[in-house]
Amino acid sequence: MTKSQKRALALQFLSRNDLHLQNAVLMLGGAPALWRLQRLRQSLAKSPGFNTGQRRGLTWLHRLLALEDIGQEGPMDMMFLNPADPAVHDICLLSESCARLMARLGTPGEAATQTDGQQNGRVAQINCTSERALPETEFRRYVQNLGGQVRSSD
């Protein structure tokens, strides 16, 4: 896959999920994360091909959506998630979509791989692509195992 094809795939993912991505990123990382997402979009729109900085940006986006940085120093330490919020299910789906995109893009220097989306990432393991929302007890256990806090839906 050429660099311009990789760039097109990344732009397609960002534009197709634009509003949901902005909401998720703002919810999980605040204004600095939203600004970083906007810079990634601008970088992809302006460059003729896909580069290492853009790959790092997509990796950051996936880590944020997959809740991999909960418990690390920064704004994520104080994050509260309400399992009843429909945005939680959207975040889960976005994380899986982003993982599939990253798999299609491949690793630097290697040919991109085709995958059915079965990733070893934490969010993919909880199978949130079902028709129903993630059960609250399962979500609470998932977030608490990662060191996050869950606000009661009452």
Side-chain angles (χ1 to χ4, degrees):
M1 185 178 309
T2 67
K3 289 183 178 188
S4 61
Q5 290 171 325
K6 290 179 180 184
R7 177 186 158 269
L9 277 175
L11 276 172
Q12 180 184 30
F13 169 76
L14 292 175
S15 64
R16 183 180 37 207
N17 299 298
D18 185 41
L19 186 58
H20 291 293
L21 277 171
Q22 289 183 55
N23 288 334
V25 166
L26 186 60
M27 180 179 172
L28 297 173
L34 182 60
W35 178 243
R36 189 169 178 180
L37 175 65
Q38 297 305 330
R39 286 194 318 258
L40 174 61
R41 291 178 62 210
Q42 290 173 358
S43 172
L44 284 165
K46 290 180 180 179
S47 74
F50 191 69
N51 63 42
T52 305
Q54 293 160 345
R55 181 180 301 278
R56 276 193 306 266
L58 287 173
T59 300
W60 161 80
L61 179 61
H62 180 252
R63 289 182 59 82
L64 181 69
L65 294 171
L67 308 177
E68 290 185 16
D69 292 327
I70 288 180
Q72 304 298 319
E73 293 184 30
M76 297 275 295
D77 284 337
M78 301 308 292
M79 182 181 64
F80 289 93
L81 296 173
N82 183 343
D85 189 343
V88 171
H89 192 254
D90 289 342
I91 290 168
C92 192
L93 295 176
L94 287 169
S95 174
E96 289 180 350
S97 294
C98 192
R100 284 192 300 273
L101 170 67
M102 297 300 291
R104 287 195 67 198
L105 294 174
T107 57
E110 294 179 357
T113 59
Q114 297 296 327
T115 164
D116 61 358
Q118 296 298 322
Q119 302 295 320
N120 291 328
R122 295 175 183 158
V123 174
Q125 290 177 356
I126 61 175
N127 190 21
C128 59
T129 57
S130 64
E131 292 296 319
R132 61 178 175 72
L134 189 64
E136 184 171 339
T137 54
E138 183 179 340
F139 177 78
R140 282 179 182 281
R141 186 172 43 252
Y142 169 69
V143 172
Q144 289 168 348
N145 286 341
L146 294 176
Q149 300 174 1
V150 181
R151 181 177 52 216
S152 174
S153 59
D154 298 335

